[in-house]
Amino acid sequence: MEMNRAKMEMNITKDEKITATSPQIYVASLADYNSGRLHGRWIAADQSAHVIREQIGQMLAESKEPIAEEWAIHDYANFAGLSLSEYEDLDKVAELAFLITQHGPLFAALASHFGGTSGIADARRYMEEGYQGEYDSLEDYAHELTEECCGDVLKTLPDFIRHNIDWEAIAHDMDLNGDVITFEIDGRTHVFNAHI
């Protein structure tokens, strides 16, 4: 359930100020929501789940409802296109937010590739073990990889062969064969080895 972010922004106090680019969640009191009131808090998600739970507890304690114990994530921001459910596991939200803060939209794209919050472990493993770098194109990666592993052989080829290697076709085959996972972000191609 998407809430109107403009309305909720006025609920942020000086103590809750968070950066405009950090992943954040808006957590609402369900008792208040069911009574027709909006009571919640924007919380920086790139901190420990324990701290997030404490802040949710403080928000619930400030409710005017006699019993305010249940909560839900009613909005979120700066998760680089990833979706969160209302009842997302806070440990996963915190880990995901931390990794997005650390690696940027690339990690969000990788996590999305592996299923969102359920794919964090795989995304983290590929980020740590499979990331090959960023390039102008997959063709540039194919060329660089070939130079690294076969550079001595390439130097022995006549110029008319060496200068006519079809790097686009090689890159296409790498992609088609599932040898790489790629993401286009801000006009750059990020390449992962798919076989880790």
Side-chain angles (χ1 to χ4, degrees):
M1 170 188 320
E2 289 290 314
M3 302 295 281
N4 182 340
R5 182 160 187 214
K7 285 184 184 176
M8 290 183 281
E9 297 240 21
M10 62 188 164
N11 289 338
I12 298 176
T13 67
K14 279 201 299 189
D15 295 334
E16 299 167 13
K17 188 171 181 179
I18 48 185
T19 67
T21 59
S22 67
Q24 44 194 289
I25 55 176
Y26 182 82
V27 182
S29 161
L30 292 181
D32 288 86
Y33 183 80
N34 292 333
S35 296
R37 279 191 305 279
L38 182 61
H39 176 70
R41 179 181 291 183
W42 280 100
I43 298 173
D46 57 345
Q47 54 188 334
S48 76
H50 174 74
V51 172
I52 294 172
R53 285 185 187 94
E54 284 181 347
Q55 291 180 354
I56 291 171
Q58 291 167 1
M59 178 271 296
L60 291 171
E62 294 165 1
S63 170
K64 294 181 179 165
E65 289 298 309
I67 300 174
E69 299 172 340
E70 296 182 353
W71 55 271
I73 298 171
H74 278 190
D75 202 358
Y76 49 89
N78 303 321
F79 278 86
L82 274 173
S83 297
L84 299 179
S85 73
E86 287 185 303
Y87 302 104
E88 203 72 66
D89 180 304
L90 289 179
D91 291 311
K92 289 182 178 180
V93 169
E95 182 178 10
L96 181 62
F98 171 77
L99 290 165
I100 289 172
T101 300
Q102 190 174 36
H103 300 290
L106 178 58
F107 190 83
L110 192 58
S112 181
H113 176 79
F114 287 109
T117 55
S118 64
I120 293 173
D122 286 331
R124 179 179 226 152
R125 184 168 61 90
Y126 272 80
M127 194 80 228
E128 292 170 356
E129 300 172 22
Y131 187 54
Q132 302 301 300
E134 74 176 90
Y135 299 85
D136 289 331
S137 66
L138 185 55
E139 293 83 12
D140 286 347
Y141 169 72
H143 190 176
E144 183 178 295
L145 179 65
T146 305
E147 287 284 347
E148 285 177 11
C149 67
C150 306
D152 291 339
V153 173
L154 288 175
K155 289 176 187 171
T156 66
L157 296 174
D159 286 348
F160 74 91
I161 294 175
R162 207 173 22 171
H163 296 302
N164 289 292
I165 296 173
D166 190 345
W167 298 113
E168 185 177 347
I170 293 171
H172 177 73
D173 285 351
M174 293 172 84
D175 189 36
L176 194 62
N177 293 334
D179 295 323
V180 293
I181 301 168
T182 62
F183 301 99
E184 297 291 326
I185 299 174
D186 295 331
R188 302 285 287 163
T189 301
H190 296 264
V191 181
F192 291 84
N193 178 353
H195 304 295
I196 63 165

